[in-house]
Amino acid sequence: MLEARDAVKNLHAYRPPLAGRTGLRLDFNESTVGCSSRVLARLRSLDSELLARYPEREPVEKEVADFLGLDPAHVLLTNGVDEAIHLLSSTYLDPGDEALVVVPTFAMYAIFAQAEGARVVEVRAGDNFTFPENDLLAQLTPRTRLIAVANPNNPTGAAVAGNVLIQIAQAAPQAAVLVDEAYFEFHGETLIHHTQQIENIFIARTFSKAYGLAGLRIGILAGEARQMAMVRRMASPYNVNAAALAVLPEALQDQEFVSRYVAQVLSNRERLQQELSNLGLHYWPSHANFVLVHIGPAHAEFVQALRERGILVRDRHTDAGCEGCVRLTVGSDEHSQILIGALRNVVEPLGLRTRSRTELPTGVRA
Ligand SMILES: Cc1ncc(COP(=O)(O)O)c(C=O)c1O
């Protein structure tokens, strides 16, 4: 009988709740307004000849590298950040190696590392989800071959200073250090230019969030040239589809669209955080396009009550240290106003307003 590898049999299937997502989508940290009209016009202009050909990644890779101020040898376009994580895992992890992740965090680091037969070592975030630098350093061993950090982190919105990540990379020269900057546009800090000097740092970026292109599946992995040559060997030459490659230059050129959306999200993030305070709900200040809020035992009812008002949000109750927490994506002015209006209507009836601080999840108390 055909058997999958043990590492695969041991994987927990990761099934994000994608079914029936109608209404206001504040559950996956997508853009709530979609992509720019220039990108849409370019997509509509594509012809069958383009679709008949195998896609050519390199010319667009060069444009992206120019945009980032990097040499093309440092840049690989990927099928979303997910593929970047997959490629790094398969390039650097042998069975029995160790992959360090700070939890709670994005699920795909552990999944792709486990799929290679690596041991995932989880380091718990500190109080209020602060970055556990010393605990992480204490877990380094000669077998540590991958360290994955989302900065800002999902689902907490917490950010870590770049110099801390550089210190970690220097302390673990045998490990690939992935700094996942999926939410870079909402945070504004990056280590992407350090990839020229620090051999073991990799930066991932995505067009799924601020650019509103999650459906096209396109991301960037940047790293030191010799390391990227190794990662490139693992990638299919056709990993990024022709439609994504055709619209990417337009998406990059329309920075006005991106800045306008990001500016809205940043001001709405402040408004939402203020509103959560007014409603007596504890939240963790965010550096990304979402806010993690503590709802307590009624988390599922809260999610359901919003769903009944046509708003989808994500229950993060089962993430490490996130008992009773729900993540709310921040979107445009109009969409944030709808969310805030609904929050006012659901918080009182569910009796959430008067939660005491002692009910916050352990390990994350203010
Ligand atoms: C930290 C982080 N990295 C990566 C991704 C996925 O990015 P992509 O759509 O480019 O695969 C997400 C999506 O939620 C994320 O939160």
Side-chain angles (χ1 to χ4, degrees):
M1 193 179 94
L2 179 65
E3 295 267 5
R5 289 186 295 121
D6 285 345
V8 177
K9 285 197 281 187
N10 292 335
L11 278 181
H12 292 292
Y14 173 57
R15 289 212 190 83
L18 287 165
R21 294 182 66 223
T22 49
L24 177 52
R25 289 173 286 93
L26 303 181
D27 49 350
F28 277 71
N29 305 336
E30 297 156 339
S31 164
T32 69
V33 300
C35 65
S36 92
S37 51
R38 279 173 59 178
V39 168
L40 213 50
R42 180 82 185 95
L43 261 180
R44 290 198 170 113
S45 76
L46 303 185
D47 58 18
S48 76
E49 205 267 337
L50 180 104
L51 299 180
R53 295 156 68 125
Y54 282 103
E56 193 187 355
R57 201 179 57 211
E58 278 73 14
V60 185
E61 224 154 54
K62 181 166 180 336
E63 288 195 44
V64 172
D66 287 348
F67 173 79
L68 294 170
L70 294 174
D71 186 283
H74 291 267
V75 175
L76 174 70
L77 291 177
T78 61
N79 197 272
V81 173
D82 281 359
E83 192 201 13
I85 302 164
H86 197 170
L87 290 173
L88 283 180
S89 299
S90 48
T91 304
Y92 294 103
L93 291 173
D94 274 322
D97 282 344
E98 291 162 12
L100 290 190
V101 293
V102 174
V103 294
T105 195
F106 185 53
M108 299 313 292
Y109 311 133
I111 292 172
F112 285 130
Q114 278 164 359
E116 301 299 329
R119 193 166 77 83
V120 174
V121 179
E122 294 189 341
V123 183
R124 279 287 284 258
D127 280 1
N128 281 310
F129 302 119
T130 48
F131 191 79
E133 180 185 359
N134 292 332
D135 290 352
L136 191 143
L137 288 171
Q139 293 295 334
L140 294 179
T141 76
R143 293 224 71 170
T144 308
R145 296 273 290 148
L146 179 68
I147 302 172
V149 177
N151 195 32
N153 192 19
N154 173 15
T156 64
V160 52
N163 64 315
V164 171
L165 298 172
I166 290 173
Q167 275 166 26
I168 287 167
Q170 286 166 342
Q174 76 287 8
V177 177
L178 169 63
V179 180
D180 179 347
E181 297 183 353
Y183 301 99
F184 159 73
E185 290 81 4
F186 308 104
H187 179 47
E189 289 179 22
T190 182
L191 288 180
I192 205 158
H193 297 106
H194 290 266
T195 53
Q196 326 232 4
Q197 304 94 34
I198 306 178
E199 189 198 39
N200 60 328
I201 275 199
F202 296 84
I203 308 299
R205 295 267 186 92
T206 187
F207 292 87
S208 299
K209 309 295 180 184
Y211 287 79
L213 292 171
L216 272 190
R217 311 303 304 129
I218 183 138
I220 298 170
L221 182 66
E224 187 270 341
R226 271 169 311 157
Q227 297 300 330
M228 289 306 293
M230 291 295 129
V231 178
R232 235 178 263 280
R233 290 184 185 186
M234 297 303 297
S236 157
Y238 318 122
N239 62 336
V240 179
N241 69 75
L245 291 174
V247 306
L248 198 53
E250 202 68 40
L252 285 176
Q253 279 159 30
D254 200 353
Q255 283 303 311
E256 198 194 320
F257 169 83
V258 179
S259 329
R260 222 179 314 123
Y261 184 64
V262 169
Q264 279 195 47
V265 168
L266 298 189
S267 82
N268 292 326
R269 189 172 72 194
E270 288 313 303
R271 276 170 65 207
L272 176 63
Q273 292 183 162
Q274 185 57 52
E275 186 66 25
L276 293 171
S277 283
N278 296 345
L279 289 169
L281 295 174
H282 184 84
Y283 68 88
W284 287 271
S286 171
H287 297 266
N289 67 337
F290 53 84
V291 177
L292 188 71
V293 56
H294 183 249
I295 299 298
H299 56 94
E301 287 98 313
F302 173 82
V303 171
Q304 181 57 26
L306 288 175
R307 181 180 274 270
E308 282 161 13
R309 286 165 173 77
I311 303 174
L312 308 179
V313 296
R314 192 82 174 269
D315 199 331
R316 305 277 16 163
H317 174 67
T318 55
D319 287 38
C322 294
E323 296 81 13
C325 291
V326 173
R327 193 189 63 199
L328 314 174
T329 299
V330 181
S332 67
D333 294 346
E334 181 196 347
H335 295 136
S336 301
Q337 197 50 50
I338 294 172
L339 173 65
I340 287 172
L343 286 174
R344 289 178 183 155
N345 288 324
V346 304
V347 165
E348 286 287 346
L350 288 176
L352 304 175
R353 182 181 274 280
T354 53
R355 304 228 71 80
S356 103
R357 283 175 113 51
T358 54
E359 290 172 44
L360 291 175
T362 45
V364 294
R365 275 187 203 136

